[in-house]
Amino acid sequence: MRWLRSATLWALLAPLSYAVVDDPAIEAAPYHKEFVLFRSANMASPDKLSSGIGFHSFRIPAVVRTSTGRLLAFAEGRRHNNRDYGDINLVYKRTKTADNNGDSLDDWESLREVVGSGPGTWGNPTPVVDGYTIYLFMSWNNGSYSQEGNNRLPDGTITKKIDTTWAGRRHLYLSVSTDDGNTWSKPEDLTESLTPDNWAWDAVGPGIGIKLTTGELVVPAQGRNIIGRGTPGNRTWSLQRLTGAGSEGTIAQTPDGRLYRNDRPGDGDYRRVARGTLAGGFGAFADDTGLPDPECQGSVLLYNLADDKGPARTVFMNSASKSSRRAMRVRISYDGDAAKWNFGRELSDAKLDVDEVGNEGGYSSMCKTADFKIGALVESDFYNDGNGEGSYRAIIWRKFNLSWILHGPRN
Ligand SMILES: *[C@@H]1O[C@H](CO)[C@@H](O)[C@H](O)[C@H]1NC(C)=O
Ligand SMILES: *[C@@H]1O[C@H](CO)[C@@H](O)[C@H](O)[C@H]1NC(C)=O
Ligand SMILES: *[C@@H]1O[C@H](CO)[C@@H](O)[C@H](O)[C@H]1NC(C)=O
């Protein structure tokens, strides 16, 4: 195979400290673009819904490419502050056409809403593409409640702590689009069938679900995978319980065909990883000591299987630090089971081309674009808004290719 003969020079130059793989992508030109895709009400040219409603902060991104090639970028639009509770709407942007691949801000439509009714908390966007149907899972709770309780809302009332009652618990919702994200169905409450026991707190994703080579859909969620069986657009949902899974999980089908969960550490310094199958279940979760993490969310994506152009590649992004969310890094694994990750490249190697950006880093989501690039949404934390509500949050769109990752510093 051609790629086995190429890239020998880089193999010679690469240090021995990590797995050396001949990746012909290093020989091609690097590509990188970046801009702010979700602009908070405190920024110039803020994003607003057509109703005129703007948002103090955008957080919790998720991005998919639909079967037409269009990109759909989702986020939580936080109305009054950057907090995890209170009035939060599920918002999104689409690329204007199915084939522009989102290279510039001009390629994206203006802000829209999937759901935002009432003062409740609509969040944790977790889309999965199923032919020409897009399923969007979400977590919701009543706006009078919050995870810890005792938080002050803008009207002065104090939140109750999330509890196990129907009114006080987190709910799982599903909305569906069959027109490439143009419209969305009224969200259906699936808590009863897809949230085990009487959990008080729950979280789906946040991030993306996947479609397996055998056709099933798998959506990562707290303590479980949500499985969609049936045919595209006509799915029956069930649960796969996972012992030891984190509250925020990501999933990929690795090149070996198995399922790979890579979860946020609950109380530790490294990503928590487990492998399994739908039929055989999962092994125990264990630290991946090659992937430090500051107890934050991350994102994983199967980029390609091995072919005559190159080796199989799985891509992972998180803040590669035990203590800071500001060390965003993207890595490649060439292993069938994503056992080892290369050093990768820090996103900060490509400076953001905007004056107002504060500190980039936090939650992220990745998709593969139709022009063979990686599109990534990355949270950023901007300057204090002066209202005692702390910093405001915006979401950056970065688009790069494998060559850009491989051209990074190799320490
Ligand atoms: C990266 O993008 C550049 C510019 O579009 C292209 O020339 C190159 O082939 C790409 N590399 C890979 C591995 O796709
Ligand atoms: C939220 O909870 C409050 C009481 O705590 C209740 O009055 C209100 O109807 C609930 N809202 C929804 C949408 O369930
Ligand atoms: C959806 O699947 C169910 C069984 O899984 C089947 O009974 C039903 O006819 C299907 N509906 C459509 C519209 O295909």
Side-chain angles (χ1 to χ4, degrees):
M1 285 184 282
R2 192 196 66 82
W3 63 269
L4 281 176
R5 293 195 306 273
S6 62
T8 321
L9 181 63
W10 117 242
L12 288 172
L13 292 174
L16 296 172
S17 56
Y18 61 92
V20 173
V21 170
D22 284 354
D23 188 339
I26 194 159
E27 293 173 354
Y31 168 99
H32 194 284
K33 289 259 168 79
E34 74 290 326
F35 48 88
V36 183
L37 186 58
F38 291 91
R39 303 181 66 87
S40 115
N42 293 295
M43 302 172 81
S45 314
D47 283 302
K48 290 182 182 159
L49 299 173
S50 56
S51 61
I53 288 175
F55 297 88
H56 178 283
S57 283
F58 293 100
R59 280 206 60 195
I60 323 293
V63 62
V64 288
R65 184 184 96 213
T66 71
S67 296
T68 68
R70 192 187 291 271
L71 305 176
L72 303 181
F74 301 89
E76 293 184 7
R78 301 186 170 184
R79 289 290 305 282
H80 305 297
N81 52 46
N82 66 19
R83 309 301 165 83
D84 295 339
Y85 52 82
D87 191 353
I88 300 180
N89 300 5
L90 205 308
V91 298
Y92 72 110
K93 284 189 173 192
R94 307 194 308 165
T95 48
K96 285 178 185 165
T97 63
D99 58 7
N100 72 30
N101 296 311
D103 279 312
S104 71
L105 189 55
D106 219 38
D107 288 334
W108 293 83
E109 292 178 347
S110 53
L111 190 70
R112 303 190 193 200
E113 186 171 272
V114 174
V115 57
S117 57
T121 302
W122 290 100
N124 286 49
T126 312
V128 58
V129 175
D130 189 25
Y132 291 96
T133 299
I134 302 134
Y135 292 105
L136 178 66
F137 284 88
M138 299 169 275
S139 298
W140 175 89
N141 62 261
N142 185 310
S144 311
Y145 293 78
S146 63
Q147 189 168 14
E148 303 303 330
N150 209 24
N151 298 119
R152 185 178 296 274
L153 296 169
D155 69 0
T157 59
I158 302 297
T159 60
K160 296 181 274 256
K161 187 172 164 62
I162 291 278
D163 61 35
T164 57
T165 64
W166 186 251
R169 69 187 293 192
R170 292 269 280 177
H171 288 234
L172 180 74
Y173 275 91
L174 176 63
S175 178
V176 185
S177 175
T178 52
D179 56 7
D180 224 18
N182 188 35
T183 59
W184 294 89
S185 66
K186 183 173 181 292
E188 185 187 356
D189 190 337
L190 298 181
T191 311
E192 202 141 19
S193 56
L194 295 180
T195 307
D197 310 329
N198 260 1
W199 283 357
W201 185 255
D202 186 28
V204 61
I208 54 170
I210 59 170
K211 186 168 193 162
L212 304 187
T213 49
T214 43
E216 299 89 349
L217 306 180
V218 185
V219 177
Q222 172 176 297
R224 67 204 189 279
N225 290 321
I226 298 167
I227 313 300
R229 291 188 171 83
T231 53
N234 183 22
R235 297 288 178 174
T236 305
W237 303 100
S238 60
L239 290 185
Q240 179 179 40
R241 296 287 294 264
L242 299 176
T243 307
S247 180
E248 292 182 338
T250 65
I251 193 134
Q253 185 175 23
T254 40
D256 63 4
R258 284 192 295 166
L259 288 169
Y260 169 85
R261 276 276 298 230
N262 180 317
D263 287 17
R264 171 179 176 151
D267 179 19
D269 290 333
Y270 300 99
R271 301 294 301 176
R272 302 282 296 163
V273 168
R275 296 173 179 82
T277 60
L278 290 189
F282 272 65
F285 279 80
D287 285 357
D288 180 338
T289 54
L291 295 178
D293 189 273
E295 295 173 17
C296 191
Q297 181 261 16
S299 45
V300 67
L301 182 73
L302 174 67
Y303 182 87
N304 70 286
L305 299 174
D307 59 18
D308 59 359
K309 294 188 207 65
R313 303 174 183 98
T314 308
V315 180
F316 178 73
M317 180 184 286
N318 78 331
S319 182
S321 161
K322 293 176 187 173
S323 56
S324 167
R325 292 189 173 190
R326 310 292 176 230
M328 297 307 288
R329 183 185 298 260
V330 58
R331 310 170 188 264
I332 302 172
S333 177
Y334 300 100
D335 299 327
D337 57 354
K340 297 181 302 297
W341 295 90
N342 72 2
F343 178 81
R345 188 161 189 181
E346 288 185 31
L347 299 190
S348 58
D349 280 349
K351 286 278 178 272
L352 290 161
D353 190 20
V354 273
D355 293 340
E356 52 205 332
V357 166
N359 297 304
E360 183 183 23
Y363 287 36
S364 62
S365 183
M366 293 186 289
C367 70
K368 184 176 179 179
T369 58
D371 60 348
F372 305 102
K373 311 273 192 302
I374 294 163
L377 295 171
V378 186
E379 287 186 339
S380 189
D381 192 355
F382 286 68
Y383 305 115
N384 194 290
D385 68 359
N387 292 325
E389 288 297 349
S391 56
Y392 55 97
R393 311 291 170 87
I395 296 173
I396 290 161
W397 171 246
R398 283 184 178 266
K399 199 179 156 189
F400 49 85
N401 66 7
L402 296 171
S403 312
W404 182 82
I405 302 174
L406 295 168
H407 280 243
R410 313 207 153 269
N411 48 333

